[in-house]
Amino acid sequence: MLFTQQQPSSPAAPPPPTMPSPIPVTRLLPRDIYPCQSSGPTAESPAGSGPRWSTGRSCAPSSRWAPEGSALCTGRSTSGETVALKRVKKCTKNKLASRQSFWAELNAAHLRHTNIVRVLAATTCVPAGFGDDSSIGTILMEFVGSRNLQQIIYGCAELLWDERWPRYSTDIAHGLRFLHSHSVVHLDIKPANVLVSSQDVCKIADFGCSVKLDRGCEVSAHLSHVGGTYTHRAPELLKGEGVSPKADIFSFGITLWQLITREQPYTGDRQHVLYAVVAHNLRPCVQQHPAFLSEQGRLCRTLLSRCWSAEGRCRPSAQELLPHLEQLRSQM
């Protein structure tokens, strides 16, 4: 199956690259898609004519949520649905990594879950009006909203303790359980990659670092490169060992700590942190932290210590996390 759309033949231009894709060809983006600010039927795509997308005046990429190495813009379908267009940029220093990141974005494209950002379609053709030719492709996703957990934790005065952070963390765990049940490991769980909808529901986004495990395998072969964010990266990944769903549980533990404390997990030089996490079992502070002195805090402390255990086999699965998180919610 080819992922790219057919280009008009030209004797002077080489044929476009073709790469396999998990997305059916019938769901590829039309060539004339534009990020737009207008909505409604167009002459080329009247109402009720199927899954076509409106064209219109292009807009600047959004800064509300745009993962590193990408640009994001919103648009509307002819049915009036707001969608998000994500352009995956090329990396001039590592073209292979750029291509791998683009295809990794599609590891969860066939999955549908309340706590996962839904991928609608994708193409290696860059829509006109959506920037220059510095991108490797475009991904069409559901538009969740303009907030992520990073912004909520560090950028606003909203209270998180009461019942919100247990609910948010439960949403993330539900999303991870679903991904892991389909052999997808995200590998970059952190607050910035968790979007929060207008209904206050968390959805896991940005699969550019993800890995699809072989059917029946709990651990993948060693990867030549592992992306993700160093503050949330599991120690086995830092040591170059195999990838498993337990790497996401470690990252979840750091994210949960951030939700509870609203602080940064580490300070100091990056290389020092990386070395200390592996060699000296460095973890965010819980022993004397005020947030962990109550009865609920002690339960959280125990759960965190399991999530960020140095040995992946000692960490709970996402399925095993959920009863503990529900217990915390019931005590709030």
Side-chain angles (χ1 to χ4, degrees):
M1 179 182 294
L2 299 184
F3 180 68
T4 54
Q5 303 182 62
Q6 293 296 323
Q7 304 280 351
S9 59
S10 171
T18 58
M19 292 177 278
S21 166
I23 296 183
V25 72
T26 54
R27 291 177 54 207
L28 298 180
L29 300 183
R31 285 294 308 279
D32 59 353
I33 186 171
Y34 284 77
C36 64
Q37 296 177 341
S38 61
S39 61
T42 67
E44 298 82 3
S45 177
S49 63
R52 296 177 179 263
W53 307 96
S54 58
T55 60
R57 180 164 58 87
S58 63
C59 59
S62 169
S63 61
R64 290 173 297 182
W65 173 69
E68 184 178 356
S70 65
L72 193 73
C73 190
T74 58
R76 287 187 182 276
S77 69
T78 53
S79 64
E81 179 187 8
T82 301
V83 295
L85 285 164
K86 178 179 177 181
R87 186 186 68 181
V88 180
K89 295 181 180 179
K90 295 178 182 176
C91 177
T92 56
K93 295 182 179 180
N94 193 335
K95 295 181 180 180
L96 176 61
S98 298
R99 295 165 72 90
Q100 289 174 329
S101 176
F102 179 75
W103 295 118
E105 289 278 4
L106 307 181
N107 280 330
H110 61 294
L111 303 179
R112 297 291 179 266
H113 190 271
T114 304
N115 303 117
I116 304 294
V117 172
R118 183 164 46 103
V119 174
L120 303 173
T123 180
T124 51
C125 299
V126 181
F130 196 44
D132 52 29
D133 61 353
S134 64
S135 64
I136 196 169
T138 306
I139 299 171
L140 182 71
M141 306 175 295
E142 68 168 312
F143 177 70
V144 174
S146 59
R147 300 187 304 164
N148 61 41
L149 276 188
Q150 178 84 6
Q151 295 164 328
I152 291 175
I153 292 173
Y154 300 112
C156 68
E158 297 177 67
L159 294 177
L160 286 178
W161 179 255
D162 296 332
E163 53 86 28
R164 291 185 72 192
W165 72 257
R167 178 161 47 83
Y168 286 165
S169 58
T170 301
D171 283 350
I172 300 170
H174 275 294
L176 287 177
R177 179 182 65 173
F178 183 76
L179 288 174
H180 295 167
S181 71
H182 288 81
S183 302
V184 176
V185 185
H186 187 278
L187 290 181
D188 199 16
I189 294 295
K190 61 180 179 180
N193 286 341
V194 179
L195 305 187
V196 183
S197 72
S198 57
Q199 291 77 37
D200 215 30
V201 175
C202 288
K203 293 175 178 280
I204 298 173
D206 192 6
F207 287 82
C209 295
S210 66
V211 170
K212 183 74 163 65
L213 301 179
D214 293 334
R215 186 183 300 272
C217 293
E218 295 183 358
V219 180
S220 78
H222 298 202
L223 300 180
S224 58
H225 74 283
V226 176
T229 306
Y230 80 93
T231 53
H232 294 67
R233 200 175 302 163
E236 65 268 22
L237 301 185
L238 297 176
K239 292 188 290 185
E241 298 175 356
V243 173
S244 78
K246 296 300 182 70
D248 283 345
I249 301 302
F250 184 94
S251 304
F252 170 85
I254 304 295
T255 300
L256 176 58
W257 183 91
Q258 291 175 276
L259 273 169
I260 296 172
T261 65
R262 305 184 79 164
E263 297 176 8
Q264 296 293 342
Y266 305 115
T267 58
D269 177 72
R270 179 179 183 274
Q271 291 302 319
H272 170 77
V273 170
L274 294 176
Y275 175 78
V277 166
V278 173
H280 301 294
N281 212 31
L282 175 67
R283 303 292 185 268
C285 175
V286 294
Q287 294 300 326
Q288 302 300 322
H289 198 287
F292 300 102
L293 297 181
S294 65
E295 180 62 30
Q296 293 87 350
R298 285 190 285 272
L299 291 174
C300 292
R301 189 170 62 195
T302 300
L303 183 60
L304 287 172
S305 66
R306 293 186 61 200
C307 287
W308 57 42
S309 170
E311 298 292 335
R313 58 184 175 79
C314 297
R315 299 171 205 151
S317 66
Q319 174 68 46
E320 292 167 337
L321 278 175
L322 287 168
H324 298 284
L325 295 173
E326 293 293 349
Q327 180 183 4
L328 288 172
R329 290 183 65 179
S330 67
Q331 294 183 0
M332 294 300 170

